[in-house]
Amino acid sequence: MFNYLRKRFTSHIRERSRRRARLVSKDGRCNIEFGNVEQSRFVFLIDIWTTILDLRWRYKMTIFISAFLGSWFLFGLLWYAVAYIHKDLPEFNPSINHTPCVENINGLTSAFLFSLETQVTIGYGFRCVTEQCATAIFLLIFQSILGVIINSFMCGAILAKISRSKNRAKTITFSKNAVISKRGGKLCLLIRVANLRKSLLIGSHIYGKLLKTTITPEGETIILDQVNIEFVVDAGNENLFFISPLTIYHVIDKNSPFFHTAAETILQQDFELVVFLDGTVEATSATCQVRTSYIPEEVLWGYRFAPIVSKTKEGKYRVDFQNFSKTVAVETPHCALCLYNEKEAKAKEKKGYDNPGFVLSEVSETSDTQM
């Protein structure tokens, strides 16, 4: 019993460590880390717009709140300094005929409130700038312009973050596993993909990359070497009519990197199949990309996907997503090479063969007849 649990625990740890070593997660996030980058992080501030958009929501909201609070407090200090220099504060005991730069600023708190009212254009009417000080008028203009810039940038960043096409990719889902079985008389690797919205992706294009470690004839080891994988559906791999779930497939022929893979050896290989779906969002005309990946443990040999689309009595088409990733075992050759040799042998049986040792001799016929 102890040996059994130890084996299960060891296999579980080995499987977890293997699953972690993947470049692209199932939800499309890239697992990559950059180290020893010579360029300074200041280069990210040059493209501040992209940097802000790529930030997580918690950091973005922190910057949003800090920008407004910081500007209100900074200008509050400046308004307090203007009142202090002009001796408008109560501690200076101004005369009755004294005209302050800003009415009703009695301290730092009232200066902060005036800064807030000015920048967000609340306009309560209790505190206001007079024509007594040119400095106050210039500061009012400067804060108003800077407030509009901050407001436009922050609100635009949040709106752009919400409307990013990356969020549209969340409603595109791939099957949990890929399967290998016969389709149209050919051995194929099949993947199911579905659009969870009724709005379409225009100009959709689907393709794949096989990532593996290869050794060149010169002895160079290339980690994450990329090999193109062509995926098609029955109508082609471009301009997909993506209104219902589609089953895309890759034909395992002589040009496929899976041609020499067998059912017994697929789990022993080390590769990662990354699948991409590019398209244009119908509502916003923005391009988006959806991606997922499959490792050998997620490729099922000898299975096909269960039916998912049916027709109701009312004449409507119904998609049952309960069977979206469900697979059914089918009879499948254990390797593509075997299927190819089998077809080649059957084709040769239907052909005739020439015998080079066969000689055709002609017999001359005579017209003489003996009685």
Side-chain angles (χ1 to χ4, degrees), residues 250-260 336-337 340-341 344:
H250 164 71
V251 179
I252 304 178
D253 53 11
K254 290 184 176 180
N255 298 323
S256 172
F258 295 102
F259 184 71
H260 296 284
L337 184 61
Y340 178 80
N341 293 336
E344 197 175 44

Side-chain angles (χ1 to χ4, degrees), residues 176-201:
K176 181 179 179 182
N177 297 302
V179 297
I180 295 179
S181 60
K182 292 178 64 176
R183 186 183 182 94
K186 301 177 181 179
L187 191 64
C188 301
L189 184 144
L190 301 96
I191 297 173
R192 179 172 278 175
V193 58
N195 179 17
L196 302 181
R197 289 187 180 272
K198 292 185 178 180
S199 59
L200 301 179
L201 283 180

Side-chain angles (χ1 to χ4, degrees), residues 235-268:
N237 64 338
E238 294 185 358
N239 299 325
L240 305 178
F241 186 48
F242 207 4
I243 193 65
S244 63
L246 298 175
T247 300
I248 61 174
Y249 59 91
H250 164 71
V251 179
I252 304 178
D253 53 11
K254 290 184 176 180
N255 298 323
S256 172
F258 295 102
F259 184 71
H260 296 284
T261 303
E264 298 84 2
T265 61
I266 188 171
L267 294 178
Q268 302 172 3

Side-chain angles (χ1 to χ4, degrees), residues 32-251:
I32 190 168
E33 180 180 347
F34 298 101
N36 300 324
V37 180
E38 295 181 357
Q39 291 182 339
S40 173
R41 293 187 179 271
F42 180 74
V43 296
F44 293 98
L45 297 179
I46 298 177
D47 187 15
I48 186 64
W49 180 253
T50 305
T51 302
I52 292 295
L53 290 183
D54 289 339
L55 288 177
R56 296 181 180 272
W57 274 109
R58 54 179 176 267
Y59 302 128
K60 186 185 293 292
M61 295 306 299
T62 301
I63 295 176
F64 181 85
I65 296 172
S66 300
F68 282 103
L69 290 179
S71 62
W72 296 339
F73 184 73
L74 175 62
F75 280 99
L77 293 177
L78 294 178
W79 286 116
Y80 179 81
V82 170
Y84 185 86
I85 294 173
H86 198 252
K87 297 183 179 180
D88 298 335
L89 300 176
E91 54 263 28
F92 293 105
N93 298 318
S95 62
I96 299 176
N97 298 327
H98 179 77
T99 302
C101 292
V102 181
E103 296 282 356
N104 300 310
I105 287 187
N106 303 318
L108 186 59
T109 303
S110 58
F112 175 79
L113 292 176
F114 179 72
S115 174
L116 172 61
E117 295 167 11
T118 300
Q119 189 163 328
V120 300
T121 63
I122 294 178
Y124 288 124
F126 181 69
R127 301 179 182 89
C128 61
V129 177
T130 64
E131 65 275 9
Q132 185 69 24
C133 299
T135 306
I137 297 175
F138 173 78
L139 185 59
L140 176 66
I141 296 173
F142 182 72
Q143 183 177 6
S144 300
I145 295 175
L146 186 62
V148 171
I149 295 175
I150 295 176
N151 189 40
S152 301
F153 184 85
M154 290 301 172
C155 293
I158 291 180
L159 182 61
K161 180 77 170 180
I162 295 175
S163 60
R164 289 184 75 179
S165 56
K166 184 178 180 180
N167 297 326
R168 177 63 174 90
K170 302 296 183 181
T171 54
I172 305 296
T173 181
F174 289 89
S175 58
K176 181 179 179 182
N177 297 302
V179 297
I180 295 179
S181 60
K182 292 178 64 176
R183 186 183 182 94
K186 301 177 181 179
L187 191 64
C188 301
L189 184 144
L190 301 96
I191 297 173
R192 179 172 278 175
V193 58
N195 179 17
L196 302 181
R197 289 187 180 272
K198 292 185 178 180
S199 59
L200 301 179
L201 283 180
I202 304 172
S204 300
H205 173 64
I206 196 161
Y207 57 98
K209 298 287 185 180
L210 185 68
L211 308 178
K212 59 180 182 179
T213 301
T214 59
I215 300 177
T216 63
E218 295 76 17
E220 179 185 3
T221 302
I222 303 178
I223 300 177
L224 296 180
D225 186 24
Q226 300 184 14
V227 180
N228 290 327
I229 301 294
E230 294 294 334
F231 282 97
V232 296
V233 294
D234 294 334
N237 64 338
E238 294 185 358
N239 299 325
L240 305 178
F241 186 48
F242 207 4
I243 193 65
S244 63
L246 298 175
T247 300
I248 61 174
Y249 59 91
H250 164 71
V251 179

